[in-house]
Amino acid sequence: MTLTTPKIAFIGAGSVVFTQGLLADLFAFPELKGAHIALHDIDAERLATAHGAARHIAERLTEPSGTTPRITAHAERRAALEGADFVINIVQVGMRESTRTDFAVPAAYGVRQTIADTLGVGGIFRALRTFPLLKSLGEDIAEVCPDAWLLNYTNPMAMNVQYLTRATGLTRVVGLCHSVYWTIRDLADLLNVPHEEVTYRAAGVNHQAWVLRLEHQGSDLYPRLDALVAENPELRRRVRVDMYRRLGYYPTETSEHSSEYVPWYLHHDSEIERLRLPVGAYLGIVDENIAEYERTRDALAAGAPLTVEGTMEYAPQIIHSITTGTPRTVYGNVPNHGLIDNLPATGTVEVPCLVDALGVQPTRIGSLPAQCAALNRGYLSMNELVVRAALEDDPRSIRQAAMADPATAAALPVERIWDLCDDMVRAHADLLQPSLRTTLGH
């Protein structure tokens, strides 16, 4: 694909702060300054704010070059998608109210969560209320822009990509997350080596991938990391470092995230204290995101300048590579079609991907270390049950997914797990597909 003016549709553009960062990244590429940016959101105020912010960013970053993008706003999704070459999905179904429910209802049962967007009870129901949107979005793409690449940022990443590909038949789908990139940046800073000189390979599943190789100028950096961990007791008070010490490979997501995907930490008061785990942390992040949106909205209304900063996200890099043929490597979440031998073929895996004019081309990894694959298989088994619940209209699979989730199983007996799922179904019923609104008791 060689495009001079690609059309890029933003679905959920009312996530204004994220939209701004992506646009700053896009317009940093000279070849993309003339792109058509089509913004869509169901919230009229947020859409108008996104439109105003996008025009402001375009003025700041593109007008001096003499090339300016076309920016349009659409209340109707199909109009935004019509003829799109790329679709960026950043929708959050249910917004703050649903997120609060994802924490409050499990907390009443004694289930602790930190982020609640990937696994666990929060991840299950975030997925189930997102799936109907993904299905209708995929159907629209198949009809009005069938050759477009769908770049998904909406969590739970692995479940959403698995559902999208199985429910809609779309093949040009890749899930994007910045965790691998920022993990390597953080490790480079910790080891005091320039991040641009670090070579690495990671693979696994989203938010639970593993740094398989970490090198600087041909030298393995893991022994240096071991020495730092051994001499610094504060480093040992991080979940991801604790997991690294015991598993031998560094996980690619923060301690807050990582603690939710295993049974060892959140159910134990002593571990929460030892590892300084912030239970309910994401609620504060959600509140700050809304406050940042309101500051942006108010600044635009007052004619005040906006701070425009790039975010180094993968979607703009993918768009640039496919548009111009420039080869680069990113990390993507894609169906496991022979990429990682010792993980389920039906699951979504996170692997390095070559991107050029031919599109996103995942790298075959082979087998993960057995101990890493053991954790990833449990993660993907739980995902499979959630996706099956939606595809087969099977409410029992929701409960079975919660039973299979490590952190939930560590906290509750099975009868309480089923009761919790019933309460979550009641709380989210309006956002679930009708067949999954049934309560089952135990």
Side-chain angles (χ1 to χ4, degrees):
M1 180 186 296
T2 301
L3 300 168
T4 54
T5 55
K7 181 177 180 181
I8 306 163
F10 282 68
I11 307 302
S15 300
V16 173
V17 176
F18 199 37
T19 296
Q20 288 182 92
L22 290 170
L23 289 173
D25 289 342
L26 283 166
F27 296 150
F29 293 111
E31 299 91 341
L32 299 179
K33 292 183 186 294
H36 176 186
I37 307 298
L39 306 171
H40 163 70
D41 202 279
I42 62 172
D43 185 310
E45 181 196 273
R46 281 182 168 267
L47 179 59
T49 302
H51 194 197
R55 288 183 295 186
H56 176 84
I57 293 168
E59 291 171 4
R60 289 268 313 267
L61 299 182
T62 68
E63 283 194 355
S65 70
T67 302
T68 57
R70 179 186 175 196
I71 299 173
T72 57
H74 306 270
E76 202 277 314
R77 185 173 66 205
R78 288 171 71 96
L81 292 172
E82 188 72 45
D85 301 293
F86 302 94
V87 179
I88 299 177
N89 180 44
I90 48 179
V91 169
Q92 183 181 349
V93 176
M95 299 293 285
R96 175 165 57 179
E97 181 180 349
S98 291
T99 299
R100 289 194 178 282
T101 297
D102 288 342
F103 280 91
V105 176
Y109 282 78
V111 176
R112 294 162 169 159
Q113 300 176 102
T114 50
I115 308 297
D117 73 350
T118 299
L119 293 186
V121 178
I124 290 170
F125 282 88
R126 179 180 280 233
L128 292 173
R129 66 177 183 263
T130 304
F131 288 170
L133 173 279
L134 295 179
K135 185 174 183 180
S136 62
L137 173 62
E139 290 169 349
D140 282 352
I141 290 172
E143 289 186 26
V144 303
C145 54
D147 294 327
W149 282 91
L150 174 53
L151 309 178
N152 179 69
Y153 276 104
T154 297
N155 283 321
M157 182 64 67
M159 281 191 263
N160 285 344
V161 170
Q162 182 175 352
Y163 178 81
L164 260 169
T165 54
R166 290 174 63 178
T168 70
L170 295 179
T171 58
R172 291 186 168 190
V173 178
V174 58
L176 302 176
C177 176
H178 50 221
S179 61
V180 172
Y181 172 82
W182 286 112
T183 292
I184 300 304
R185 288 288 298 258
D186 291 346
L187 286 171
D189 290 343
L190 186 64
L191 295 166
N192 197 29
V193 295
H195 69 89
E196 64 272 10
E197 296 179 7
V198 174
T199 54
Y200 61 93
R201 171 168 284 193
V205 294
N206 182 237
H207 291 171
Q208 198 186 64
W210 314 95
V211 180
L212 303 177
R213 295 181 64 179
L214 184 69
E215 299 172 0
H216 179 240
Q217 297 178 346
S219 176
D220 185 2
L221 287 173
Y222 266 142
R224 289 177 59 179
L225 180 59
D226 292 339
L228 278 178
V229 170
E231 69 187 28
N232 187 338
E234 289 304 299
L235 276 180
R236 298 195 294 275
R237 296 186 67 195
R238 299 180 185 177
V239 164
R240 67 197 310 193
V241 172
D242 194 73
M243 291 177 64
Y244 164 60
R245 291 174 62 215
R246 300 172 195 282
L247 297 169
Y249 294 89
Y250 201 78
T252 61
E253 193 42 89
T254 63
S255 293
E256 292 84 357
H257 274 284
S258 295
S259 67
E260 290 190 312
Y261 315 143
V262 294
W264 314 314
Y265 302 116
L266 284 171
H267 187 53
H268 305 283
D269 293 343
S270 59
E271 291 296 84
I272 288 175
E273 181 179 355
R274 177 176 76 92
L275 298 166
R276 301 168 294 187
L277 284 169
V279 175
Y282 189 62
L283 291 173
I285 295 170
V286 169
D287 289 342
E288 176 53 33
N289 287 343
I290 290 175
E292 183 64 24
Y293 159 73
E294 291 173 347
R295 288 192 289 269
T296 299
R297 179 199 61 198
D298 295 346
L300 286 167
L306 299 178
T307 301
V308 180
E309 296 181 357
T311 55
M312 299 299 293
E313 289 288 351
Y314 286 136
Q317 298 179 52
I318 289 173
I319 293 169
H320 181 260
S321 287
I322 294 176
T323 300
T324 66
T326 304
R328 55 169 53 88
T329 298
V330 304
Y331 275 77
N333 292 272
V334 293
N336 185 27
H337 295 158
L339 301 173
I340 300 181
D341 293 334
N342 51 352
L343 294 185
T346 56
T348 300
V349 295
E350 188 166 69
V351 295
C353 301
L354 169 67
V355 192
D356 58 19
L358 297 177
V360 179
Q361 303 153 71
T363 300
R364 173 173 157 74
I365 298 297
S367 291
L368 293 177
Q371 67 275 28
C372 299
L375 289 184
N376 287 170
R377 280 196 295 271
Y379 174 123
L380 291 179
S381 294
M382 183 267 209
N383 285 5
E384 176 70 25
L385 289 164
V386 179
V387 172
R388 186 175 76 180
L391 293 178
E392 300 182 6
D393 297 313
D394 180 8
R396 290 177 63 88
S397 287
I398 300 173
R399 283 76 179 169
Q400 292 159 357
M403 290 167 61
D405 175 69
T408 306
L412 295 177
V414 289
E415 288 188 355
R416 295 292 283 165
I417 291 174
W418 281 52
D419 289 341
L420 170 54
C421 288
D422 277 355
D423 280 349
M424 289 292 284
V425 166
R426 293 185 188 99
H428 287 304
D430 290 347
L431 297 175
L432 304 180
Q433 63 194 61
S435 61
L436 299 182
R437 298 174 186 175
T438 304
T439 55
L440 299 181
H442 53 251

